[in-house]
Each structure stands twice: as structure tokens, then as C-alpha cells.
């Protein structure tokens, strides 16, 4: 890692280490990288100038940036550092805290600006400095085309200032690309004839019988699953959001049945619907496919019965779900058609090379010729901006995209909280009168009953000048599975009710509380009880390991319990706890002794790197199984209940034991019980989203091990 060469950064480093700075987000090494990048920009401009007389940026700035001094450059670097540290794509410079200036001034430096307004003015002077470009929000049309300034995308300007939002240039380009795709969806909004609406309304009523919905004060309660399915039926792009147990996959299955019904009614001959089921992780993808297939068969049995003349959607589903990466690879992405510009922290971001038409416009293309009608993506909150742009750019224009997710969960690790930003943005959209009338005709509800469907929150999206002619957002409100103390705890976390959470779930004893659904153990690192209190739930699994149980039995038992950690390292981290678990059960499972970390029959492993040539990806969980005939060990990755990918261990480059994993790795999975361990020595990783995500991985029970101060930090973040 590079050293901090600039004196101001070294001084700030001391303040951060002494916790005297309120800027816990500062990634000082990223800041140094940015400072170096700015210097390189200045030097490159100097070398390419005819007169070759532009001095070094930090010594004698050229006339174009005379208003910018050394301290200003550092402020810019710190601002970009915040982007990196918080996985953001842009910063609102009008909302920056004044503590930033105070931290800089404390080191003896005086920026040329003292307010956010002056900062905005100073940045505007950099438009011709080859460091920052000021651009207007693009006039994006609805033809899936985006005018592209090739010079802007040549990496000569690392920063983009757009409507007082400061972007790293590649993320601004990605924002624009996604916005162009959104606008293009307006061309494919389907206005259904009244006769077809009436036919589909009859089917919808069979899928969601109104008599099955409770009456509240003699008023029929609105079935928001039915409303969301009907709403999505008419739109080329939909966001379906809701907490655990609100029926996102049930709604998706119902929608597929309705789409098939619409296809059959519109076609003169029976024709199938080509569907792909995706998720960021392999386990979430398998779970999505299994859930949708199960729900579809129930719907078809209820609606179609023994009618053998109707083509069934469940027979047209793919055999299983697949990861987003696997889908992109098949569609022609993630290959040589990408540029791979470096993030400031050294990670790679994928940006697809688009193609220009004769008018010089850039349009998304797809290299796949396979028919593709519907794509459903679960756990969409885990997708970063670059990955989302890659996905939409590779889909055919007529393909319907449906994103499922919970925007309260953890965002993507890489920059760009696309799903959450879309939920926030479209919460301010109003449905058109024609769309609302069609929705009323489909569902049988009045406009007054559907008023709640439209949210009144203001839009917060930075690129929101071009409104769409459809409303893609659907919010599911009623929980069917996630109830009792688990729901109460989740609601308290979402609302930030720290005191209420503590009073409700605090456990007075350090001993494991068997009788509670949700328990908070106020456990500081020095006072943490024996790990045995947390890992005893693995005894059933390791008994199966000792008896060399089958893959199916091991996989089923493994889903009963999972330890989730906030960090990889330290005594409360993933690596330490995994080692402890294997040591604890070593003598019980292997009387003759077994080296911890060595592969053995039943060992559960978590892949930490993509292996597209093997069909396994980062986050997939596999089980080491001994071959009965040869005693050789192979890793089995379940795809369905009957099928799995079998890989020799030597071909898996990076993996770890899977008994404990980070909360980030668990997103998209569910377990009967979870034990959550939040490290008090890594408070910068704690947040309400992290705690909420960990809690909602549990179906029946959740035990949370975290000290009081660390819990306060999580609720404040």
C-alpha cells in the first residue's frame, strides 16, 4: 500500500487514529491515490501542450485553475475518498458537513472556500482544467440512445460536476447509461384492450380470490400482491419491494402465470414464455427458482385443475435459477468487450463498450440471439451500478425486467445502490390516469382503494428531469411469514428505535437463552461467554458429518443454523470462529484426529472468487463429499434437489469454511436460526442495514452478540 506523502494527509491520519476527527469515512490512502492522479493529469496536460510550459499543479497552478490551491485539491481528494469508503457514486456538494473544512483547517491549511456555495463556485472554475468537467444533465431520449462525448470518456477528467453532484467520471457515465435504458422502456409500455383486460381480470381473481382476503371494518382489504402483479403485467420494467415474508416470490410466480395467460389469449396458437430467473448468489438463485416453481404449481392446480389443453408455465421454467454473472457470461458479457477502468481502491469496475450508430449515438446491444421474454432478479439490492448497467445493456429491447428486493437490506459492496435509489426515486411518481383506470379494471378495486398504492414522497434521484410514462414501483406491505418478535425487532431496527430494541430484547444473563425468539446479549469482547453457547446448534450437522451422511441430508441440516459476523478478522471474525467450530467438533467427529482446515467429508465451504468456467461464483456454498468407490473427495454445489455441480477441490482457487460467514455473504439466504456476532473493534462496519439484514436471514430465531456501545453505533449509522 502506498505511503501518505502529502503532509496534510499525514496530519489527518493522526487525527483519525486518535479519533479526534469526525470523518470516520476518510480513506486516506485513496485520498493519496487521488492526489497522485490529479498530479498525473496536470503532468499529462503539460506534456501534451505545444508550448510545454504548464507548471506542476501543486507548485504553480496554470491560469485555468488559479483559484484552486493545495488545500482545495486535498478537499477534493477527501470528498472522493468518501465516495470510495461509502460505496457511493456521487456526493451532493451542497450537503457536505462543515466538519470537513474544520478538519483541514486544524492542520494549518486554508481552502479558498468557506461554504458549500463557495465550494460549488470553485469547482465550476475547473471546467477547463482537465481535472473536472462541469456538464448539464443530458437530454436523454427514449430510443435507448445516449449522446456520448468521447473526449469526456477518455479519462482526462476524473471528476464530473453535474447539478451540484460530484461524480467520478465512470460512475456518471454509468448513471447516464442506466437512465437512457429507463427512458427506452417507455417505448414498450403496453396499453391493453378492454376485452383483454376483462379476461385477465377474471384470471387474476382466480389467482388472488378476494374472499380469501380479510375484511377490515366490513371493507374489503386490498390485496397488494394482486395489485402489484396486475401493475407489473402492463409495464416493461418493475420494482417489487417488501420485507421478509411479504410475498415477493409469490407475486412473481403469479405474474408469470398471468403473463402466460396473456400470451395464450393474444396468440392464435399455443406459444411458450421464455423466462430466466437470476440472483446475485447461487444459493439465492436456486431458492428463487424452487419457490417460484412451487408457487406456480399451486396456482395452476387451483386455477387450471385437470385441464390438459392449457400450456403450463411451470413446465416452461428453466430447470433452476442462475447467478447474474453466469447469465451475463452466457449473454456475451464479462469478456473482452469490456473496459476495466480501476476504482480508486484498486478494484475493477466493468464498463461495457457500447456501439455507435450512424448518428454518433451510443446504444445498448445484445450479443445473444436466444429468445428472452422475462428476466426476474431476486435480491436486487445487492447489485451495484456497473453490474446493473451490464445486465440491462445485454437484454433485448422487448424483454421485461422485474427486480425483487428489500431496500432496507445491505446495499451492494461496490458503488451504486441502484435498487434503493430507484425505490426512492419512483416513490414520487404518479400513475397516469389511463394506467390507474386499467389497474382498477384488472383488480376490481376503486381508485380510492388504490390511492395508497401511490406514494407521495418526493423524488431524490439526481437524474430525474425526464419523467417516464409509467410507474415501475410496487410495494408489498403485508407480512405473511415474518411475524412475532422477529417482525417487531425488524421494525424497530428500520425505524431506528434503539431504546425500544434494547428494552424488548436485552438478555440479563450471559447464558444462552433457549426460550426467546430474538435475544440481544450485551457482550463486550472481554466479557463474551464461551463460544460454545453460540455453536452448539452445529452439533446436529457434525453428527451427520461423522456418519458420512449424503449430500441432501448435509445440505438440509446446514440450512438450520448459521453464524453471521460483521468482519472477517479478529477474535469475533469469520476466520477465527470457523477455526474454533472445527476444533470444537474435531474430536467428536473424528476420533482418530483430523487437522483443522484439511478437507474432509461433509466440510462446508464458501467460494470467495468467481469461477465462470466451472459454473460456480463468489458466494456459492458447496459440500465436500467422499466418493464411495474411490474415496476421492469432490466439492458438490447443489443446483436443484437432484442435481449439483461437482468440482475437484484443486480447481477452486479461493474458498473458506462456511460455518461462519459475513452478513454480506449471507444476503439472499435464509436459515431457521442465526447467531449474529458484531465486533466492537470494527465499529466502522456497523450499520442498521447490516443488523436488519442479519436479523432477517432468520426464519424462527435470532441471537445477537454485541456490546452496548457497538449496538449504539450500528443504530446511528
Amino acid at each position: 500500500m502506498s505511503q501518505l506523502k502529502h503532509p496534510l494527509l499525514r496530519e489527518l491520519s493522526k487525527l483519525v487514529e486518535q479519533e479526534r476527527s469526525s470523518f470516520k469515512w476518510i480513506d486516506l490512502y485513496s485520498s493519496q491515490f487521488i492526489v497522485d492522479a490529479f498530479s498525473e493529469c496536470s503532468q499529462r496536460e503539460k506534456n501534451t501542450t505545444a508550448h510545454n510550459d504548464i507548471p506542476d499543479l501543486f507548485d504553480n497552478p496554470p491560469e485555468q485553475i488559479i483559484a484552486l490551491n493545495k488545500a482545495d485539491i486535498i478537499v477534493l481528494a477527501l470528498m472522493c475518498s468518501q465516495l470510495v469508503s461509502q460505496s457511493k457514486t456521487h456526493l451532493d456538494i451542497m450537503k457536505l458537513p462543515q466538519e470537513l473544512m474544520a478538519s483541514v483547517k486544524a492542520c494549518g491549511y486554508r481552502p479558498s472556500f468557506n461554504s458549500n456555495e463557495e465550494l460549488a463556485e470553485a469547482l465550476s472554475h475547473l471546467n477547463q482544467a482537465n481535472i473536472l468537467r462541469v456538464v448539464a444533465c443530458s437530454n436523454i431520449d427514449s430510443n435507448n440512445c445516449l449522446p456520448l462525448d468521447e473526449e469526456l470518456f477518455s479519462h482526462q477528467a476524473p471528476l464530473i460536476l453535474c447539478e451540484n453532484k460530484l461524480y467520478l467520471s465512470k460512475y456518471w457515465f454509468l448513471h447516464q447509461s442506466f437512465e437512457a435504458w429507463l427512458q427506452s422502456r417507455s417505448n414498450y409500455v403496453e396499453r391493453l384492450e378492454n376485452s383483454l383486460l376483462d379476461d385477465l381480470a377474471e384470471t387474476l381473481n382466480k389467482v388472488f380470490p378476494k374472499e380469501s382476503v380479510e375484511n377490515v371494518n366490513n371493507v374489503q382489504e386490498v390485496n397488494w400482491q394482486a395489485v402489484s402483479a396486475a401493475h407489473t403485467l402492463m409495464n416493461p420494467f418493475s420494482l417489487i419491494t417488501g420485507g421478509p415474508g411479504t410475498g415477493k416470490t409469490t407475486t412473481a410466480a403469479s405474474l408469470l402465470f398471468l403473463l402466460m395467460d396473456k400470451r395464450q389469449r393474444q396468440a392464435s396458437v399455443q406459444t411458450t414464455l421464455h423466462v430466466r430467473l437470476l440472483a446475485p448468489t447461487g444459493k439465492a438463485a436456486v431458492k428463487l427458482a424452487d419457490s417460484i416453481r412451487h408457487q406456480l404449481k399451486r396456482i395452476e392446480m387451483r386455477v387450471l385443475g385437470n385441464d390438459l389443453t392449457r400450456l403450463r408455465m411451470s413446465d416452461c421454467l428453466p430447470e433452476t435459477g442462475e447467478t447474474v454473472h453466469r447469465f451475463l457470461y452466457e449473454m456475451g458479457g464479462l469478456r473482452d468487450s469490456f473496459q476495466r477502468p480501476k476504482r480508486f481502491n484498486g478494484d475493477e469496475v466493468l464498463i461495457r463498450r457500447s456501439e455507435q450508430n450512424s448518428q454518433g449515438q451510443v446504444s445498448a446491444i445484445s450479443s445473444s440471439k436466444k429468445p428472452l421474454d422475462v428476466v426476474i432478479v431476486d435480491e436486487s439490492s445487492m447489485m451495484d451500478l456497473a453490474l446493473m448497467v451490464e445486465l440491462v445493456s445485454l437484454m433485448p429491447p422487448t424483454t421485461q425486467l422485474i427486480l425483487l428486493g428489500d431496500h432496507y437490506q445491505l446495499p451492494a459492496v461496490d458503488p451504486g445502490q441502484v435498487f434503493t435509489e430507484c425505490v426512492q426515486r419512483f416513490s414520487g411518481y404518479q400513475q397516469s390516469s389511463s394506467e390507474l383506470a386499467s389497474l382498477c379494471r384488472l383488480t376490481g378495486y376503486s381508485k380510492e382503494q388504490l390511492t395508497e398504492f401511490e406514494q407521495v414522497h418526493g423524488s431524490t434521484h439526481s437524474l430525474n428531469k425526464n419523467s417516464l410514462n409509467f410507474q415501475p414501483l410496487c410495494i408489498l406491505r403485508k407480512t405473511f411469514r415474518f411475524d412475532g418478535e422477529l417482525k417487531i425487532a425488524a421494525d424497530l431496527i428500520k425505524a431506528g428505535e434503539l431504546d425500544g430494541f434494547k428494552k424488548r430484547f436485552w438478555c440479563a444473563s450471559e447464558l444462552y437463552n433457549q426460550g426467546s425468539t430474538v435475544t440481544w446479549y450485551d457482550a463486550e469482547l472481554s466479557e463474551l461467554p464461551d463460544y460454545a453457547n453460540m455453536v452448539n446448534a452445529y452439533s446436529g450437522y457434525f453428527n451427520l458429518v461423522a456418519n458420512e451422511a449424503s449430500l441432501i441430508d448435509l445440505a438440509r441440516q446446514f440450512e438450520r443454523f448459521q453464524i453471521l459476523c460483521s468482519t472477517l478478522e479478529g477474535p469475533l471474525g469469520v476466520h477465527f470462529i470457523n477455526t474454533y467450530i472445527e476444533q470444537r467438533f474435531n474430536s467428536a467427529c473424528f476420533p482418530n484426529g483430523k487437522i483443522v482446515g484439511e478437507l474432509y467429508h461433509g466440510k462446508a465451504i464458501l467460494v470467495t472468487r468467481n469461477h465462470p468456467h466451472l459454473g460456480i461464483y463468489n458466494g456459492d456454498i458447496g459440500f465436500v463429499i467422499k466418493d464411495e468407490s474411490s474415496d476421492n473427495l469432490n466439492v458438490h454445489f447443489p443446483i436443484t434437489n437432484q442435481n449439483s455441480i461437482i468440482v475437484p477441490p484443486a480447481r477452486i482457487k479461493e474458498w473458506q469454511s462456511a460455518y461462519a460467514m459475513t452478513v454480506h455473504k449471507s444476503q439472499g439466504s435464509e436459515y431457521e436460526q442465526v447467531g449474529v456476532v458484531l465486533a466492537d473493534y470494527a465499529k466502522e462496519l456497523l450499520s442498521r442495514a447490516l443488523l436488519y439484514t442479519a436479523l432477517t436471514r432468520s426464519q424462527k430465531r435470532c441471537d445477537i452478540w454485541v456490546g452496548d456501545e457497538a449496538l449504539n453505533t450500528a443504530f446511528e449509522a
Side-chain angles (χ1 to χ4, degrees), residues 136-152:
C137 194
S138 296
N139 294 319
I140 302 172
D141 61 26
S142 59
N143 296 316
N144 202 26
C145 296
L146 172 67
L148 177 63
D149 183 355
E150 288 290 347
E151 186 181 359
L152 178 66

Side-chain angles (χ1 to χ4, degrees), residues 146-150 353-365:
L146 172 67
L148 177 63
D149 183 355
E150 288 290 347
R353 286 190 183 275
S354 302
E355 292 186 349
Q356 288 190 351
N357 59 25
S358 58
Q359 286 76 40
Q361 294 175 315
V362 177
S363 60
I365 60 170

Side-chain angles (χ1 to χ4, degrees), residues 150 153 173 336-340 351-355 362-363 365 390:
E150 288 290 347
F153 194 54
F173 176 82
D336 295 337
S337 59
F338 294 84
Q339 301 182 55
R340 302 178 182 268
I351 300 179
R352 191 170 196 279
R353 286 190 183 275
S354 302
E355 292 186 349
V362 177
S363 60
I365 60 170
E390 177 67 10

Side-chain angles (χ1 to χ4, degrees), residues 206-255:
K206 294 178 180 178
V207 175
F208 298 100
K210 286 190 170 61
E211 57 270 17
S212 66
V213 182
E214 299 178 1
N215 290 316
V216 180
N217 297 326
N218 294 323
V219 178
Q220 189 73 36
E221 181 183 351
V222 175
N223 188 328
W224 296 110
Q225 288 186 5
V227 174
S228 298
H231 179 266
T232 307
L233 190 65
M234 301 180 290
N235 292 325
F237 170 60
S238 298
L239 302 147
I240 301 177
T241 184
T246 53
K248 294 186 290 292
T249 54
T250 300
T251 303
S254 304
L255 173 65

Side-chain angles (χ1 to χ4, degrees), residues 333-345:
L334 303 179
R335 299 183 185 181
D336 295 337
S337 59
F338 294 84
Q339 301 182 55
R340 302 178 182 268
K342 296 289 184 179
R343 271 182 64 188
F344 285 151
N345 66 354

Side-chain angles (χ1 to χ4, degrees), residues 156-227:
Q156 295 183 9
L159 299 177
I160 301 293
L161 185 64
C162 180
E163 298 185 327
N164 286 326
K165 305 294 190 300
L166 185 68
Y167 293 81
L168 302 180
S169 61
K170 57 181 172 288
Y171 296 127
W172 180 85
F173 176 82
L174 288 171
H175 267 293
Q176 294 285 319
S177 300
F178 185 71
E179 184 73 12
W181 179 85
L182 275 178
Q183 297 298 325
S184 74
R185 297 299 88 189
S186 299
N187 296 333
Y188 300 97
V189 175
E190 191 171 4
R191 304 303 180 196
L192 305 179
E193 299 291 335
N194 287 338
S195 58
L196 181 57
L197 285 173
D198 293 338
D199 291 338
L200 293 175
E202 181 181 353
T203 304
L204 185 71
N205 191 52
K206 294 178 180 178
V207 175
F208 298 100
K210 286 190 170 61
E211 57 270 17
S212 66
V213 182
E214 299 178 1
N215 290 316
V216 180
N217 297 326
N218 294 323
V219 178
Q220 189 73 36
E221 181 183 351
V222 175
N223 188 328
W224 296 110
Q225 288 186 5
V227 174

Side-chain angles (χ1 to χ4, degrees), residues 597-656:
E598 183 180 339
L599 294 177
Y600 51 84
H601 178 88
K603 183 182 180 74
I605 70 169
L606 175 71
V607 179
T608 57
R609 173 182 171 184
N610 290 329
H611 298 72
H613 58 290
L614 300 176
I616 57 176
Y617 295 86
N618 188 355
D620 287 353
I621 292 178
F623 301 88
V624 178
I625 302 296
K626 183 171 66 174
D627 188 271
E628 295 181 356
S629 59
S630 64
D631 286 343
N632 291 332
L633 296 174
N634 288 306
V635 186
H636 292 238
F637 295 89
I639 298 179
T640 64
N641 290 331
Q642 293 79 30
N643 299 318
S644 61
I645 296 175
I646 304 175
V647 182
R651 300 195 66 188
I652 305 175
K653 301 300 182 183
E654 296 179 21
W655 57 270
Q656 65 185 45

